[in-house]
Amino acid sequence: MSLTVWYLLVALLGALIAWCWSFSILAPLDSGHFATGAVLAWVHLAVLGSLLTAALGVMIQLVPIAFQAPPLPPSTPLWHLPLHVAAITMMIVGFLNMDFTVVGIGGSLLLLNTGILLGLVYNSYRKARNKTPVHRAMRFAVAGLPFVMGIGVWQAFQLPGTGSALLLGHIALGTLWYWGGLVIVISYKFIPMFTLSHGYEVDLRTTTGLYFGGVTLVATAATLPHTVRLAATLVGGVFVIGGALLFALDLQRMVRVRKRKRIMFPILSAIAATLSLLGALTLLVTAYALGDERIGVAAGDWFYFGGMIPLLLAYAQKIIPFLRYEYRYSHAPDRKSAPLIDEMVPALLSRVGTYLYVISFCASLLYFLFLARFTPVLRHWLALTLAAIGAAALAIMASALIHVLLVGGKRPDLPRKT
């Protein structure tokens, strides 16, 4: 079976650890301690161990299938995923010990490993037969990843120029350019594909031009003279929000002309998570403009737990059943009796897990906002309760996805092609 599934399961495990760990770092964040070893380790586990793992795993399948391109070598995940996990683990250990040499070495390994994978993906990407506007726009979002990782390694080794301006650029390019841009671009492919939408009119070029142009201004504003810094940040923020609004309008157009009148629950969840993510990105831009770290932390929590993780859970419920069907039934003699892809994920587990996760996220955000008003004892028990509820939600979603991997039992022996 496709090893992309392993990337998604590792990513889900990373999200589970990040969720439970997050409650132990809320107190230092509330006190204004943003650069502790635990906080830095948590951020990189959440972003790299969870989100990046999922994104790279999906990319291995997305480019060949979505754009009709040659597949990557089958052995790619066998060497990439272990090195990926090892590099991130090294970085986390380095952050926890505040040993930035170890962080830099782990980051360098991660950058090299990711760079080789992106090279293989690009080799497939450039040979695609289905070169749609989404295909062309993908390069802008993905091109930001090596820059973000390179800046991180540069800072870890404390090379010349390391400082607050470079750190802000690292954060802005990571959150806004790569993750925000990637979600926007991919949505122009996934949403029509999963809702069977045809005949819609959208303007991807204007949306991405406005959005990425705004992110460039926001990310580089800290390096500009003080007299124009605020103006550049504000103009960039307006462009980013404008691009996000245009995308939201395009999203509405795509959904409105869908051929499948009933939108399946995972896609409803994906659309809701995407809109939530746009709200988080707007708040992040506001935090950059105001220079308010507390708003930035709340926006970051919303961005990760209220946008990216629900989006990951929603799309995993479409991607894993598709890959299971391809592996188990596509060439099997009993394919006519195969279940529908949309019915492979247990509906009850999917809904319970999703609703429980939404409740735990909203409660955790309120917990952080009113943290100072709680006594230490109440704070402790609330943190344990919220961590347990969120962990249960993620475990339920994981069990639903694992159930998909068992649909149809063992794959029958298929005749070899000659």
Side-chain angles (χ1 to χ4, degrees):
M1 188 172 177
S2 170
L3 291 177
T4 292
V5 173
W6 285 105
Y7 282 84
L8 293 175
L9 294 178
V10 169
L12 191 58
L13 176 61
L16 177 62
I17 297 172
W19 170 264
C20 296
W21 189 358
S22 66
F23 292 95
S24 68
I25 64 171
L26 289 180
L29 288 175
D30 186 62
S31 303
H33 298 95
F34 303 108
T36 66
V39 170
L40 294 173
W42 180 89
V43 168
H44 288 81
L45 167 67
V47 175
L48 302 178
S50 179
L51 299 184
L52 184 60
T53 304
L56 295 178
V58 171
M59 198 178 297
I60 290 174
Q61 291 282 342
L62 173 65
V63 170
I65 294 175
F67 303 125
Q68 299 177 24
L72 271 65
S75 61
T76 300
L78 295 176
W79 57 262
H80 175 265
L81 184 57
L83 288 176
H84 177 80
V85 172
I88 294 171
T89 302
M90 187 181 299
M91 293 180 67
I92 292 170
V93 171
F95 279 122
L96 289 174
N97 293 297
M98 294 300 281
D99 187 338
F100 288 96
T101 300
V102 174
V103 173
I105 295 171
S108 299
L109 175 60
L110 183 67
L111 177 59
L112 177 62
N113 193 40
T114 305
I116 295 173
L117 178 65
L118 291 181
L120 293 173
V121 170
Y122 178 74
N123 186 52
S124 172
Y125 170 91
R126 67 186 180 85
K127 298 176 182 177
R129 297 191 300 275
N130 186 23
K131 295 186 177 180
T132 62
V134 175
H135 174 272
R136 293 190 291 271
M138 273 278 291
R139 58 189 172 188
F140 291 109
V142 176
L145 180 59
F147 284 103
V148 174
M149 298 174 71
I151 292 172
V153 172
W154 187 278
Q155 291 177 108
F157 286 124
Q158 299 182 4
L159 297 174
T162 299
S164 59
L166 197 61
L167 177 60
L168 286 174
H170 178 64
I171 296 171
L173 286 175
T175 54
L176 299 176
W177 184 292
Y178 181 66
W179 293 114
L182 185 65
V183 169
I184 287 175
V185 172
I186 287 299
S187 295
Y188 281 91
K189 183 68 179 181
F190 278 0
I191 297 300
M193 182 170 65
F194 292 135
T195 58
L196 300 180
S197 298
H198 304 284
Y200 54 86
E201 292 185 4
V202 296
D203 192 352
L204 177 58
R205 180 177 296 180
T206 301
T207 298
T208 54
L210 197 61
Y211 182 85
F212 287 120
V215 174
T216 301
L217 281 174
V218 172
T220 58
T223 64
L224 300 175
H226 184 73
T227 53
V228 297
R229 185 179 303 168
L230 179 59
T233 303
L234 291 175
V235 172
V238 169
F239 284 2
V240 170
I241 295 172
L245 288 175
L246 288 179
F247 164 65
L249 292 174
D250 284 345
L251 186 62
Q252 183 185 30
R253 295 187 187 101
M254 287 184 279
V255 173
R256 186 183 298 164
V257 299
R258 66 187 183 276
K259 304 303 179 184
R260 175 183 285 172
K261 296 304 177 184
R262 176 172 169 260
I263 302 178
M264 305 306 293
F265 182 74
I267 301 308
L268 280 175
S269 301
I271 293 172
T274 302
L275 295 175
S276 176
L277 185 65
L278 294 181
L281 291 174
T282 301
L283 191 60
L284 275 171
V285 171
T286 303
Y288 284 126
L290 298 177
D292 192 313
E293 292 178 332
R294 185 173 178 79
I295 293 178
V297 170
D301 182 76
W302 182 4
F303 168 84
Y304 179 71
F305 286 121
M308 295 301 298
I309 293 302
L311 196 64
L312 168 62
L313 294 173
Y315 281 140
Q317 294 178 68
K318 299 295 292 185
I319 294 171
I320 291 181
F322 171 77
L323 295 176
R324 175 62 182 176
Y325 181 91
E326 286 295 304
Y327 173 78
R328 171 61 182 81
Y329 291 107
S330 60
H331 301 290
D334 60 345
R335 59 183 174 275
K336 291 184 179 180
S337 63
L340 296 176
I341 291 177
D342 288 328
E343 296 176 355
M344 285 187 177
V345 178
L348 180 61
L349 291 179
S350 172
R351 290 176 183 269
V352 170
T354 299
Y355 293 146
L356 198 59
Y357 180 83
V358 171
I359 292 170
S360 63
F361 163 69
C362 293
S364 69
L365 196 58
L366 291 173
Y367 170 81
F368 172 68
L369 293 175
F370 297 101
L371 188 65
R373 301 186 181 185
F374 301 137
T375 64
V377 174
L378 182 58
R379 190 181 297 177
H380 172 74
W381 286 108
L382 283 174
L384 286 179
T385 301
L386 291 173
I389 294 173
L394 291 171
I396 290 171
M397 296 300 297
S399 67
L401 297 175
I402 291 173
H403 170 84
V404 175
L405 302 180
L406 304 177
V407 170
K410 184 180 178 181
R411 184 188 189 190
D413 293 330
L414 303 178
R416 294 184 178 181
K417 293 182 180 181
T418 57

